[in-house]
């Protein structure tokens, strides 16, 4: 470049008929400009003179011919590239060395493309889909079964149990009764509706009952004390013909001696030991 400027701002030599460079409105002859302001090339370490193209990336500079992939040496000028530990690589070399492989298709997830990560694995966005409906999962809630991902509606449709009582999906926990799934809150006494998931219950005609309701409505009464007879907790009871007794109530009506394991006689509704029955 020729100029109306007369002298180099640094060496003060005349610029008439010579090329020069401007910096902050001051003119410099080419040798002075290069020595003062030329950036060193990251590759060859030589100054990038003012008549050369200076390619810059994150504060570092290269000659146009030095701006190449560190692995395959192909030019990166006007091409996409990636940096790893301050080393420049073309996208192909970067992918070979560092890019994740898609968990589904096992192909490289190219730099700059969107990837999904879940449980330590990576997917192409187009590969991260519901196994059943094939719709993208993105950031939607999902459920994994046998290493396959499902959106919640498809998982419920395919695999989830439905409560025997309310017919709604059981998403967690639940109770199994007569080979049928129940929500804990739906598994209640057939009479008083008390929740039974954490207490003892008695089954009758495929329905569960709390101990109190079963005893009140269905348990047979002890012939002696008239209270309900149940076998809960390992309690002993004695049955004879159509009558039942608690073990501690099975005593001689006359002398009150225990008849458990003993021979006894009956007289109308009374039970008697041999001695009292012979009197």
């Amino acid at each position: 470049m020729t100029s109306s400027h007369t002298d180099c701002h640094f060496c003060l030599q005349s610029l008439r008929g010579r090329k020069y460079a401007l910096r902050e409105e001051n003119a410099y002859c080419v040798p002075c400009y290069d020595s003062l302001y030329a950036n060193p090339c990251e590759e060859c370490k030589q100054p990038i003179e003012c008549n050369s193209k200076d390619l810059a990336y994150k504060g570092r500079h290269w000659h146009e011919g030095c701006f190449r992939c560190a692995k395959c040496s192909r030019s990166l000028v006007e091409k996409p590239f990636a940096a790893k530990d301050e080393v420049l690589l073309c996208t192909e070399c970067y992918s070979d060395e560092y890019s994740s492989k898609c968990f589904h298709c096992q192909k490289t997830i190219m730099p700059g493309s969107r990837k999904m990560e879940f449980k330590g694995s990576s997917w192409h966005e187009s590969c991260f889909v519901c196994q059943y409906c094939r719709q993208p999962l993105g950031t939607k809630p999902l459920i994994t079964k046998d290493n396959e991902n499902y959106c919640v509606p498809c998982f419920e449709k395919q695999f989830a149990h439905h409560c025997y009582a309310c017919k709604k999906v059981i998403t967690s926990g639940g109770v199994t009764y007569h080979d049928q799934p129940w929500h804990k809150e739906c598994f209640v006494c057939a009479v008083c509706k008390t929740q039974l998931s954490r207490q003892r219950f008695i089954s009758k005609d495929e329905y569960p009952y709390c101990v109190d309701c079963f005893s009140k409505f269905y348990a047979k009464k002890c012939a002696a004390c008239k209270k309900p007879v149940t076998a809960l907790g390992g309690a002993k009871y004695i049955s004879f013909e159509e009558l039942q007794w608690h073990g501690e109530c099975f005593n001689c009506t006359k002398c009150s001696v225990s008849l458990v394991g003993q021979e006894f006689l009956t007289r109308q509704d009374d039970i008697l030991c041999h001695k009292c029955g012979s009197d």
Side-chain angles (χ1 to χ4, degrees):
M1 168 184 307
T2 59
S3 168
S4 59
H5 291 81
T6 58
D7 300 319
C8 171
H9 184 70
F10 186 72
C11 70
L12 303 180
Q13 292 185 21
S14 175
L15 297 176
R16 293 183 183 279
R18 300 173 63 187
K19 291 183 179 179
Y20 75 95
L22 284 175
R23 183 180 178 88
E24 296 177 355
E25 299 185 357
N26 295 316
Y28 297 84
C29 64
V30 171
C32 286
Y33 183 90
D34 288 341
S35 65
L36 292 172
Y37 302 115
N39 295 305
C41 175
E42 289 286 329
E43 178 64 21
C44 69
K45 310 304 179 185
Q46 297 300 312
I48 304 173
E49 298 172 341
C50 65
N51 59 354
S52 300
K53 193 170 184 179
D54 184 334
L55 300 180
Y57 174 71
K58 290 189 174 180
R60 300 157 67 203
H61 300 265
W62 289 261
H63 289 105
E64 185 175 13
C66 294
F67 195 60
R68 299 172 297 187
C69 172
K71 184 176 181 183
C72 71
S73 297
R74 285 183 290 185
S75 174
L76 299 177
V77 178
E78 296 183 358
K79 293 182 180 179
F81 64 89
K84 179 70 174 179
D85 300 328
E86 298 190 353
V87 174
L88 302 185
L89 298 168
C90 65
T91 53
E92 291 81 0
C93 290
Y94 183 89
S95 298
D96 291 341
E97 291 289 325
Y98 304 109
S99 291
S100 304
K101 296 293 190 295
C102 176
F103 183 84
H104 176 73
C105 69
Q106 295 303 308
K107 294 181 180 179
T108 298
I109 301 174
M110 298 296 289
S113 63
R114 189 175 182 187
K115 72 176 180 179
M116 310 303 296
E117 294 186 350
F118 179 65
K119 291 187 175 180
S121 298
S122 301
W123 281 262
H124 291 110
E125 186 177 21
S126 59
C127 291
F128 194 58
V129 299
C130 170
Q131 180 66 18
Y132 185 73
C133 70
R134 311 307 300 176
Q135 293 299 306
L137 290 170
T139 57
K140 298 176 184 176
L142 61 91
I143 301 173
T144 301
K145 178 179 174 62
D146 299 331
N147 289 326
E148 299 289 357
N149 300 319
Y150 298 85
C151 64
V152 173
C154 286
F155 182 85
E156 292 179 349
K157 181 178 180 180
Q158 292 294 107
F159 304 109
H161 295 296
H162 290 75
C163 176
Y164 182 78
C166 71
K167 310 305 179 186
K168 295 181 180 179
V169 171
I170 300 174
T171 56
S172 63
V175 176
T176 300
Y177 172 68
H178 280 308
D179 295 326
Q180 298 291 345
W182 304 60
H183 289 114
K184 288 183 179 180
E185 59 271 22
C186 293
F187 188 62
V188 298
C189 172
V191 177
C192 69
K193 307 305 179 184
T194 299
Q195 287 192 20
L196 301 176
S197 59
R198 295 186 179 181
Q199 62 175 287
R200 295 185 300 176
F201 64 90
I202 301 173
S203 175
K204 179 177 173 60
D205 300 330
E206 298 187 357
Y207 291 98
Y209 296 84
C210 67
V211 174
D212 290 342
C213 287
F214 183 85
S215 298
K216 181 178 179 180
F217 293 100
Y218 298 107
K220 293 184 178 181
K221 303 299 189 291
C222 174
C225 70
K226 308 306 180 185
K227 295 180 180 179
V229 175
T230 69
L232 289 174
K236 294 181 180 180
Y237 68 95
I238 293 89
S239 179
F240 176 71
E241 294 182 348
E242 295 184 358
L243 300 176
Q244 283 80 32
W245 291 262
H246 295 111
E248 63 273 18
C249 295
F250 193 60
N251 303 322
C252 175
T253 305
K254 188 172 182 180
C255 71
S256 299
V257 67
S258 175
L259 298 177
V260 177
Q262 306 296 321
E263 293 183 355
F264 61 91
L265 302 173
T266 61
R267 183 179 297 165
Q268 296 180 351
D269 291 336
D270 295 334
I271 53 173
L272 302 168
C273 64
H274 266 289
K275 180 178 180 182
C276 292
S278 301
D279 291 343

